[in-house]
Amino acid sequence: MENYETIWKKIVNNLRLEITDETYKLWLEPAQATGIEEKNLLVKLPNKFFVRWLEEHYSERVNNLLKEFDPDLKIRFYTDRKDEKTGLRETSSDRNETRFLPSEFNTKYTFENFVVGQANHFAYAACMAITKNPGRAYNPLFIYGGVGLGKTHLLNAVGIEIKKRFPSYNIIYVTSEKFTNDLIEYLKNNLMAEFRLKYRNVDILLIDDIQFIADKEMIQEEFFHTFNALYDRRKQIVITSDSSPKDLGSLEERLRSRFQWGVVADIQPPDLETRVAILKKKTEAEKINIPDDVLYYIASNIKSNIRTMEGAMLSIAAFASLTEMRITVDKAKEYLRTIISPSEIEKDITLERVQDIVCRHFNLRPSDMKSKRRTESIAFPRQVAMYLGRNLTNKSTIEIGSFFGGRDHSTVMYACNRIKTKILKDPYFLAMLNKITNQIKEGE
Ligand code: ADP
Ligand code: MG
């Protein structure tokens, strides 16, 4: 038979094919084969926690693999570490100090910088309420929503605001991933008591992206106890997630129900108007200059993820300043195609579709659009259609002009400018345009 080290190495290599790198690093890398005794392959682990975890999750699989080396060979995980010490270990190292350092917040993610719209209003209001009355108003607060919709931003804003109002409060902001890594780190060093001291001794626990621990039983168990300890003492807990507690498939039931004890608020993708406002706010904060029609163009074309939308805007701005060009809708269009995936950009919108929806909205017939009539009741909807055609399709001003009754491209440019001016002056008009745009895109 092969030597115990080789056997274990082969087993681990086999397991690695089935697990993520991260799981491998956490659980298997620290494991060390130390010998074979009475048909037991001995594998040494940092502590009892590891033994329990590996026994629970890997024993069966490993025993199956071991049969290939020797039908009677079995795995035995063990540790030579004594049980965890109950008291606090004496640590004068400065590592210890950094552990207890209060969380740093991203100073850009404040309530002031957060644009409120219908899609995030409830989550925003709940967060605000918490800052006035932590631990009392809504506890826990569970916020969920898709990627890049402002969950981390709001969570930070809560932290910053509470710090302002209650300077003595001990606030921890962590991603659940960091919580996990922390837990493992403390475990490895046999410092569970310290871990608990750190996490259970806070006034506010802000935990981001909880979905990360949904499939990690042991982590959930520890989090469960953290949650209870805080909740019982009326300490505020705010949790974010990419899906609702109900949809966090593999989350333990007892956590799932606790997550719903307080308030559950969702964040939806914001509407066009809010997206434009977000971009505008960003240009002000970053002191960059981008014409409004370009912002409008970006906002109408990237709608599901604010981060992607902001990123697109910033890189257009950077590109423009590097090449010293003036940013126009055309340039933005061209450039956007190179930086975001086609699925993010609108496609397949035809001028017919734009025309039909605009006609429906203004109660006109398509033939009116194409007619020579220039009365305002027809000319204005036609200009709206031209503007939307310009923004939502890839057609040139020449093509658009000829589509709408054989007009020339300067007529289209004039229409676009007129609509742009109106957007800036008239929020109701913007809202209407927003509605028509969504109808065109979504086929209601
Ligand atoms: P999530 O955590 O939901 O994935 P983030 O909070 O990281 O999303 O938000 C992504 C980016 O979008 C950040 O730069 C954030 O400031 C911005 N953002 C999202 N929603 C808003 C909003 N309503 N107002 C202003 N900025 C927003
Ligand atoms: Mg986030």
Side-chain angles (χ1 to χ4, degrees), residues 288-321:
I288 48 182
N289 207 345
I290 297 186
D292 287 303
D293 58 334
V294 175
L295 293 186
Y296 184 84
Y297 176 77
I298 298 170
S300 6
N301 283 281
I302 308 178
K303 54 183 179 178
S304 58
N305 183 331
I306 308 290
R307 193 178 298 121
T308 312
M309 182 179 81
E310 282 183 354
M313 183 193 76
L314 292 174
S315 64
I316 287 173
F319 180 68
S321 94

Short mmCIF file of all heavy atoms in Angstrom, two decimals, residues 288-321:
data_model
loop_
_atom_site.label_atom_id
_atom_site.label_comp_id
_atom_site.label_asym_id
_atom_site.label_seq_id
_atom_site.Cartn_x
_atom_site.Cartn_y
_atom_site.Cartn_z
N ILE A 288 -17.58 66.00 -12.45
CA ILE A 288 -17.35 65.76 -13.87
C ILE A 288 -18.49 66.36 -14.67
O ILE A 288 -19.59 66.54 -14.15
CB ILE A 288 -17.19 64.26 -14.22
CG1 ILE A 288 -18.30 63.44 -13.56
CG2 ILE A 288 -15.83 63.76 -13.85
CD1 ILE A 288 -18.16 61.98 -13.82
N ASN A 289 -18.17 66.63 -15.91
CA ASN A 289 -19.11 67.33 -16.74
C ASN A 289 -19.61 66.45 -17.87
O ASN A 289 -18.86 66.15 -18.79
CB ASN A 289 -18.41 68.58 -17.30
CG ASN A 289 -19.40 69.67 -17.59
OD1 ASN A 289 -20.62 69.41 -17.65
ND2 ASN A 289 -18.92 70.87 -17.79
N ILE A 290 -20.84 66.04 -17.78
CA ILE A 290 -21.40 65.23 -18.85
C ILE A 290 -22.77 65.81 -19.19
O ILE A 290 -23.58 66.06 -18.29
CB ILE A 290 -21.56 63.76 -18.41
CG1 ILE A 290 -20.20 63.15 -18.09
CG2 ILE A 290 -22.25 62.94 -19.49
CD1 ILE A 290 -20.24 61.67 -17.79
N PRO A 291 -23.01 66.06 -20.46
CA PRO A 291 -24.31 66.66 -20.84
C PRO A 291 -25.48 65.77 -20.40
O PRO A 291 -25.36 64.55 -20.35
CB PRO A 291 -24.24 66.72 -22.36
CG PRO A 291 -22.81 66.53 -22.73
CD PRO A 291 -22.14 65.81 -21.61
N ASP A 292 -26.59 66.41 -20.11
CA ASP A 292 -27.74 65.69 -19.59
C ASP A 292 -28.28 64.65 -20.56
O ASP A 292 -28.75 63.59 -20.15
CB ASP A 292 -28.84 66.67 -19.22
CG ASP A 292 -28.49 67.42 -17.96
OD1 ASP A 292 -28.26 66.75 -16.95
OD2 ASP A 292 -28.41 68.66 -18.00
N ASP A 293 -28.23 64.97 -21.85
CA ASP A 293 -28.79 63.98 -22.77
C ASP A 293 -27.94 62.71 -22.78
O ASP A 293 -28.45 61.61 -22.98
CB ASP A 293 -28.97 64.55 -24.19
CG ASP A 293 -27.67 65.05 -24.78
OD1 ASP A 293 -26.77 65.43 -24.00
OD2 ASP A 293 -27.55 65.08 -26.02
N VAL A 294 -26.66 62.86 -22.51
CA VAL A 294 -25.81 61.68 -22.43
C VAL A 294 -26.14 60.87 -21.17
O VAL A 294 -26.26 59.64 -21.20
CB VAL A 294 -24.31 62.05 -22.46
CG1 VAL A 294 -23.44 60.82 -22.25
CG2 VAL A 294 -23.96 62.73 -23.77
N LEU A 295 -26.33 61.59 -20.06
CA LEU A 295 -26.73 60.91 -18.83
C LEU A 295 -28.04 60.16 -19.06
O LEU A 295 -28.20 59.00 -18.67
CB LEU A 295 -26.93 61.91 -17.69
CG LEU A 295 -25.69 62.64 -17.19
CD1 LEU A 295 -26.03 63.48 -15.98
CD2 LEU A 295 -24.59 61.64 -16.85
N TYR A 296 -28.93 60.83 -19.72
CA TYR A 296 -30.22 60.22 -20.01
C TYR A 296 -30.04 58.97 -20.88
O TYR A 296 -30.64 57.93 -20.65
CB TYR A 296 -31.12 61.24 -20.71
CG TYR A 296 -32.51 60.73 -20.97
CD1 TYR A 296 -33.48 60.81 -19.97
CD2 TYR A 296 -32.85 60.16 -22.18
CE1 TYR A 296 -34.76 60.33 -20.19
CE2 TYR A 296 -34.12 59.67 -22.42
CZ TYR A 296 -35.07 59.76 -21.41
OH TYR A 296 -36.32 59.28 -21.64
N TYR A 297 -29.16 59.12 -21.83
CA TYR A 297 -28.89 57.96 -22.71
C TYR A 297 -28.33 56.77 -21.90
O TYR A 297 -28.78 55.64 -22.03
CB TYR A 297 -27.91 58.34 -23.83
CG TYR A 297 -27.57 57.14 -24.67
CD1 TYR A 297 -28.46 56.67 -25.63
CD2 TYR A 297 -26.37 56.43 -24.47
CE1 TYR A 297 -28.18 55.55 -26.37
CE2 TYR A 297 -26.09 55.30 -25.21
CZ TYR A 297 -26.99 54.88 -26.16
OH TYR A 297 -26.73 53.74 -26.88
N ILE A 298 -27.38 57.07 -21.06
CA ILE A 298 -26.78 55.98 -20.25
C ILE A 298 -27.85 55.36 -19.34
O ILE A 298 -28.01 54.14 -19.28
CB ILE A 298 -25.62 56.52 -19.38
CG1 ILE A 298 -24.50 57.06 -20.27
CG2 ILE A 298 -25.07 55.41 -18.47
CD1 ILE A 298 -23.42 57.82 -19.51
N ALA A 299 -28.60 56.23 -18.68
CA ALA A 299 -29.62 55.73 -17.75
C ALA A 299 -30.69 54.94 -18.47
O ALA A 299 -31.25 54.00 -17.91
CB ALA A 299 -30.24 56.89 -16.97
N SER A 300 -30.99 55.29 -19.71
CA SER A 300 -32.03 54.50 -20.38
C SER A 300 -31.50 53.17 -20.88
O SER A 300 -32.27 52.28 -21.20
CB SER A 300 -32.73 55.23 -21.53
OG SER A 300 -32.15 56.44 -21.81
N ASN A 301 -30.20 53.06 -20.97
CA ASN A 301 -29.68 51.82 -21.54
C ASN A 301 -29.12 50.82 -20.54
O ASN A 301 -28.91 49.67 -20.88
CB ASN A 301 -28.63 52.14 -22.60
CG ASN A 301 -29.29 52.59 -23.88
OD1 ASN A 301 -29.78 51.77 -24.64
ND2 ASN A 301 -29.39 53.89 -24.07
N ILE A 302 -28.83 51.28 -19.36
CA ILE A 302 -28.38 50.33 -18.34
C ILE A 302 -29.31 50.49 -17.15
O ILE A 302 -29.30 51.50 -16.48
CB ILE A 302 -26.94 50.63 -17.89
CG1 ILE A 302 -26.04 50.73 -19.11
CG2 ILE A 302 -26.45 49.54 -16.94
CD1 ILE A 302 -24.61 51.08 -18.79
N LYS A 303 -30.11 49.48 -16.93
CA LYS A 303 -31.12 49.74 -15.92
C LYS A 303 -31.12 48.79 -14.73
O LYS A 303 -31.68 49.08 -13.69
CB LYS A 303 -32.51 49.75 -16.54
CG LYS A 303 -32.84 48.51 -17.33
CD LYS A 303 -34.20 48.67 -17.97
CE LYS A 303 -34.55 47.45 -18.80
NZ LYS A 303 -35.86 47.55 -19.40
N SER A 304 -30.47 47.68 -14.87
CA SER A 304 -30.65 46.71 -13.79
C SER A 304 -29.61 46.85 -12.68
O SER A 304 -29.82 46.39 -11.58
CB SER A 304 -30.62 45.30 -14.35
OG SER A 304 -29.39 45.11 -15.01
N ASN A 305 -28.50 47.49 -12.97
CA ASN A 305 -27.43 47.54 -12.00
C ASN A 305 -26.81 48.94 -11.96
O ASN A 305 -26.21 49.40 -12.92
CB ASN A 305 -26.38 46.49 -12.40
CG ASN A 305 -25.23 46.42 -11.41
OD1 ASN A 305 -24.87 47.39 -10.75
ND2 ASN A 305 -24.63 45.24 -11.32
N ILE A 306 -26.98 49.60 -10.81
CA ILE A 306 -26.49 50.98 -10.68
C ILE A 306 -24.97 51.04 -10.78
O ILE A 306 -24.41 51.98 -11.33
CB ILE A 306 -26.90 51.60 -9.33
CG1 ILE A 306 -28.40 51.44 -9.10
CG2 ILE A 306 -26.51 53.06 -9.24
CD1 ILE A 306 -29.24 52.26 -9.99
N ARG A 307 -24.32 50.03 -10.25
CA ARG A 307 -22.87 50.03 -10.28
C ARG A 307 -22.37 50.02 -11.72
O ARG A 307 -21.47 50.78 -12.09
CB ARG A 307 -22.31 48.84 -9.51
CG ARG A 307 -20.82 48.97 -9.25
CD ARG A 307 -20.27 47.81 -8.45
NE ARG A 307 -20.86 47.72 -7.14
CZ ARG A 307 -21.52 46.67 -6.69
NH1 ARG A 307 -21.68 45.62 -7.46
NH2 ARG A 307 -22.02 46.65 -5.48
N THR A 308 -22.98 49.16 -12.55
CA THR A 308 -22.60 49.10 -13.96
C THR A 308 -22.88 50.44 -14.63
O THR A 308 -22.07 50.94 -15.42
CB THR A 308 -23.41 48.00 -14.67
OG1 THR A 308 -23.35 46.83 -13.89
CG2 THR A 308 -22.87 47.73 -16.05
N MET A 309 -24.02 51.02 -14.28
CA MET A 309 -24.41 52.28 -14.89
C MET A 309 -23.41 53.39 -14.53
O MET A 309 -22.93 54.11 -15.40
CB MET A 309 -25.81 52.65 -14.42
CG MET A 309 -26.36 53.92 -15.01
SD MET A 309 -28.02 54.27 -14.41
CE MET A 309 -27.66 55.01 -12.83
N GLU A 310 -23.08 53.46 -13.24
CA GLU A 310 -22.11 54.47 -12.80
C GLU A 310 -20.75 54.22 -13.44
O GLU A 310 -20.05 55.14 -13.85
CB GLU A 310 -21.93 54.40 -11.28
CG GLU A 310 -23.05 55.06 -10.52
CD GLU A 310 -22.78 55.03 -9.01
OE1 GLU A 310 -21.79 54.39 -8.58
OE2 GLU A 310 -23.56 55.63 -8.29
N GLY A 311 -20.38 52.95 -13.49
CA GLY A 311 -19.09 52.59 -14.06
C GLY A 311 -19.01 53.03 -15.52
O GLY A 311 -17.99 53.59 -15.96
N ALA A 312 -20.09 52.80 -16.24
CA ALA A 312 -20.13 53.20 -17.64
C ALA A 312 -19.96 54.71 -17.76
O ALA A 312 -19.18 55.19 -18.58
CB ALA A 312 -21.45 52.76 -18.28
N MET A 313 -20.67 55.42 -16.90
CA MET A 313 -20.60 56.88 -16.96
C MET A 313 -19.17 57.37 -16.66
O MET A 313 -18.63 58.20 -17.38
CB MET A 313 -21.56 57.50 -15.97
CG MET A 313 -21.55 59.00 -16.05
SD MET A 313 -22.39 59.75 -14.66
CE MET A 313 -21.17 59.56 -13.38
N LEU A 314 -18.59 56.79 -15.61
CA LEU A 314 -17.25 57.22 -15.24
C LEU A 314 -16.25 56.90 -16.33
O LEU A 314 -15.34 57.69 -16.60
CB LEU A 314 -16.82 56.58 -13.91
CG LEU A 314 -17.61 57.07 -12.70
CD1 LEU A 314 -17.23 56.28 -11.46
CD2 LEU A 314 -17.36 58.57 -12.47
N SER A 315 -16.42 55.75 -16.96
CA SER A 315 -15.39 55.45 -17.96
C SER A 315 -15.60 56.26 -19.23
O SER A 315 -14.64 56.58 -19.93
CB SER A 315 -15.25 53.95 -18.21
OG SER A 315 -16.41 53.44 -18.76
N ILE A 316 -16.83 56.60 -19.53
CA ILE A 316 -17.05 57.52 -20.65
C ILE A 316 -16.39 58.87 -20.34
O ILE A 316 -15.70 59.44 -21.18
CB ILE A 316 -18.56 57.73 -20.93
CG1 ILE A 316 -19.13 56.47 -21.58
CG2 ILE A 316 -18.79 58.94 -21.82
CD1 ILE A 316 -20.63 56.49 -21.74
N ALA A 317 -16.56 59.32 -19.10
CA ALA A 317 -15.96 60.60 -18.71
C ALA A 317 -14.43 60.52 -18.80
O ALA A 317 -13.78 61.44 -19.30
CB ALA A 317 -16.39 60.97 -17.30
N ALA A 318 -13.89 59.41 -18.34
CA ALA A 318 -12.43 59.26 -18.37
C ALA A 318 -11.92 59.22 -19.80
O ALA A 318 -10.94 59.87 -20.16
CB ALA A 318 -12.04 57.98 -17.64
N PHE A 319 -12.64 58.47 -20.62
CA PHE A 319 -12.26 58.35 -22.02
C PHE A 319 -12.31 59.72 -22.69
O PHE A 319 -11.40 60.10 -23.43
CB PHE A 319 -13.22 57.38 -22.72
CG PHE A 319 -12.93 57.18 -24.17
CD1 PHE A 319 -11.78 56.51 -24.56
CD2 PHE A 319 -13.81 57.63 -25.14
CE1 PHE A 319 -11.52 56.30 -25.90
CE2 PHE A 319 -13.55 57.44 -26.47
CZ PHE A 319 -12.40 56.78 -26.86
N ALA A 320 -13.37 60.45 -22.40
CA ALA A 320 -13.53 61.77 -23.01
C ALA A 320 -12.41 62.71 -22.59
O ALA A 320 -11.86 63.44 -23.41
CB ALA A 320 -14.88 62.36 -22.62
N SER A 321 -12.03 62.63 -21.30
CA SER A 321 -11.01 63.58 -20.87
C SER A 321 -9.64 63.18 -21.40
O SER A 321 -8.81 64.03 -21.71
CB SER A 321 -11.03 63.74 -19.35
OG SER A 321 -10.12 62.86 -18.76
#
